[in-house]
Amino acid sequence: MNEEQRKQQERTVEETLSADKKSSQAKDYSQYFQMTYQPPSLSTAKKRGKEDVFVHYDFEIPDAMKGIGKGKKFLIRTYGCQMNEHDSENMAGILLEMGFESTSHQDDADVILLNTCAIRENAENKVFGEIGNLKVMKRDNPGLVVGVCGCMSQEESVVNRILQKHPHVDLIFGTHNIHRLPELIQNALFSKEMIVEVWSKEGDIIENMPRARKGQFQGWVNIMYGCDKFCTYCIVPFTRGKERSRRPEDVIEEVRHLARNGYQEITLLGQNVNAYGKDLVDTEYRLADLLDAIRTIGISRVRFTTSHPWDFEDELIDVIAKGGNMMEHIHLPVQSGNNEVLKIMNRKYTREEYVELAKQIRYKIPHATLTTDIIVGYPNETEEQFQDTLTLVEEMAFDAAYTYVYSAREGTPAAAMEDNVPQTVKKERLQRLNEVVNRLSNESNQRMLGQVVEVLVEGESKKNPDVLMGRTRTNKLVNFTGSASMIGKLIHVEITDAKSWSLNGTVVQQVEVT
Ligand code: 5AD
Ligand code: SF4
């Protein structure tokens, strides 16, 4: 199918469904089954058109679909980043409005959706393992609907592999058509064919989807979607579309709504939040302005992720430096400490520029923690280039770092490069890097011994239900003994013990929230 045919098909499906939505009679959906084969195309996904992004405020679940989940249960398994976690909250919201109930036991589920991550090969392998496991379940329960969505669905190779090897999958849809879930689920429940509907487009913004938030006092708020940076190793600009910002008034209204409903902490989300506003043609409004507006809303804590050093403007540092509900934690992925590698990664900054930016942040926000992401074993990375990463990590003394071995992603420029670095060398570099990173995190945590810090209590510790866990303003994990009534509250904790990845403490007092 060529691109024009694909677009025509997309239009036909949209038109048919919207005409259908207008009619109030019961539907015969069999007419759609033949048309719901829209596989992804990475080359189409790569295009960045100049057309406006459409913001849709008219999302509606057709009445006829509201009851179809009655008596049925769903389970969504989420892989990958916070963006996926948040997308799963939207899907859950839609399914609940369709009458489904949520379950955490897969044996009870009538619909299982795997919301997938494509960032590295091991993330994909996990999902394929899970798809394989579900085959047995599907054999015992043929009525079960198995769906695959999220970033992996946007890849041709993944869809082809599922089509060829995993015919027990009933439904594949992508990151751009979550709002089509009612129709897609309806089709999947009644069709014998595998439904594939993946849009390889730049993306619109769908504003008013229902949402079942997992947290009662911590919430995600999308501020923008997509990424235009095209780092040469990264699949995200292909799977998530072009950079598109939500209207400031829509973001602010959502934050106000969360504040009214007792939320203590919000995290503003985007693949590249520093570019917020740059695509809004009618305004100069940027992330710093948005944060400045959110500062005045009665919500205790505001975080944002993820930042790109390229778009990190002075105004942004200044607004975070004002304190209040702006948390002193900046996650600033550096990826490599070597300028040649940064260049072929298309990161668009040098080591020196990164160091300068980090210095500015630490100067203006002295208590801020600085965390980062690093990739080792980029194609043809030399030992000397890797050493530059080690020295940068020492120089920056990061409070924590997420470290990864480079993973080739089909369709990205890096995947087409010859690579002379053996896997064993890459793994060994990761280990050496982790030793430095762990030592520095430990040192950063040791400096907190004896300090009394504000902690938002998140819940029971995973390892020991008698122990509570929470996070400091700087996003450090603290464990302490306390009562369940503290969950969701801000308390003061004195730090008594420090390890590389967490702190232990003793409760001093609860913080009065005004
Ligand atoms: N291989 C390894 N790590 C990657 N990341 C993104 N793409 C890849 C890849 N192909 C890492 C980057 C990014 C983080 C979310 O994942 O460090 O910041
Ligand atoms: Fe991927 Fe780079 Fe965009 Fe981050 S900024 S999502 S690493 S392309």
Side-chain angles (χ1 to χ4, degrees), residues 119-120 233-235 306 331 333 335 347 373-375 402 404-409:
I119 200 103
R120 281 170 291 274
Y233 51 81
C234 188
I235 192 76
T306 257
H331 185 65
Q335 314 298 359
R347 290 294 289 180
D373 291 345
I374 298 170
I375 298 175
Y402 298 92
Y404 310 101
V405 169
Y406 164 75
S407 168
R409 308 284 64 220

Side-chain angles (χ1 to χ4, degrees), residues 215-235:
Q216 278 155 6
F217 51 90
Q218 289 176 298
W220 312 111
V221 177
N222 264 128
I223 63 167
M224 64 183 302
Y225 303 91
C227 180
D228 287 348
K229 295 291 177 277
F230 287 101
C231 302
T232 48
Y233 51 81
C234 188
I235 192 76

Side-chain angles (χ1 to χ4, degrees), residues 17-68:
L17 286 168
S18 74
D20 195 49
K21 263 187 207 164
K22 284 178 197 139
S23 118
S24 58
Q25 280 153 27
K27 325 277 188 298
D28 169 14
Y29 286 92
S30 59
Q31 57 182 306
Y32 305 137
F33 299 154
Q34 321 66 299
M35 13 176 132
T36 35
Y37 180 66
Q38 268 184 282
S41 152
L42 284 182
S43 59
T44 310
K46 192 179 173 183
K47 298 209 172 97
R48 289 296 184 269
K50 294 261 177 286
E51 308 88 65
D52 289 342
V53 167
F54 290 101
V55 186
H56 301 268
Y57 292 93
D58 55 355
F59 175 84
E60 214 184 318
I61 299 176
D63 282 344
M65 292 179 188
K66 279 193 176 149
I68 66 169

Side-chain angles (χ1 to χ4, degrees), residues 44-192:
T44 310
K46 192 179 173 183
K47 298 209 172 97
R48 289 296 184 269
K50 294 261 177 286
E51 308 88 65
D52 289 342
V53 167
F54 290 101
V55 186
H56 301 268
Y57 292 93
D58 55 355
F59 175 84
E60 214 184 318
I61 299 176
D63 282 344
M65 292 179 188
K66 279 193 176 149
I68 66 169
K70 249 199 157 121
K72 295 192 170 72
K73 293 187 178 164
F74 72 89
L75 172 72
I76 306 177
R77 209 157 267 157
T78 311
Y79 301 81
C81 66
Q82 295 99 331
M83 193 66 77
N84 265 14
E85 293 286 348
H86 194 42
D87 283 348
S88 290
E89 294 182 336
N90 282 333
M91 292 182 218
I94 293 175
L95 291 170
L96 288 172
E97 284 205 7
M98 291 172 73
F100 288 93
E101 264 177 68
S102 151
T103 178
S104 47
H105 304 289
Q106 66 172 28
D107 293 342
D108 295 348
D110 302 281
V111 173
I112 297 181
L113 298 181
L114 305 181
N115 189 4
T116 63
C117 169
I119 200 103
R120 281 170 291 274
E121 196 185 348
N122 55 6
E124 296 205 349
N125 290 344
K126 256 194 236 163
V127 171
F128 273 112
E130 189 55 30
I131 294 175
N133 294 341
L134 290 175
K135 192 174 200 167
V136 183
M137 277 197 75
K138 180 85 185 179
R139 200 182 307 138
D140 297 343
N141 175 10
L144 173 71
V145 170
V146 174
V148 178
C149 55
C151 287
M152 277 171 71
S153 309
Q154 298 288 142
E155 297 180 277
E156 285 139 51
S157 57
V158 168
V159 171
N160 288 338
R161 183 166 159 192
I162 295 176
L163 284 166
Q164 282 160 16
K165 299 210 174 125
H166 303 284
H168 61 286
V169 170
D170 302 281
L171 169 64
I172 305 178
F173 62 101
T175 57
H176 294 300
N177 55 345
I178 289 172
H179 61 290
R180 296 249 316 121
L181 195 56
E183 288 85 355
L184 294 168
I185 286 284
Q186 163 101 353
N187 287 2
L189 282 169
F190 297 109
S191 166
K192 289 193 172 56

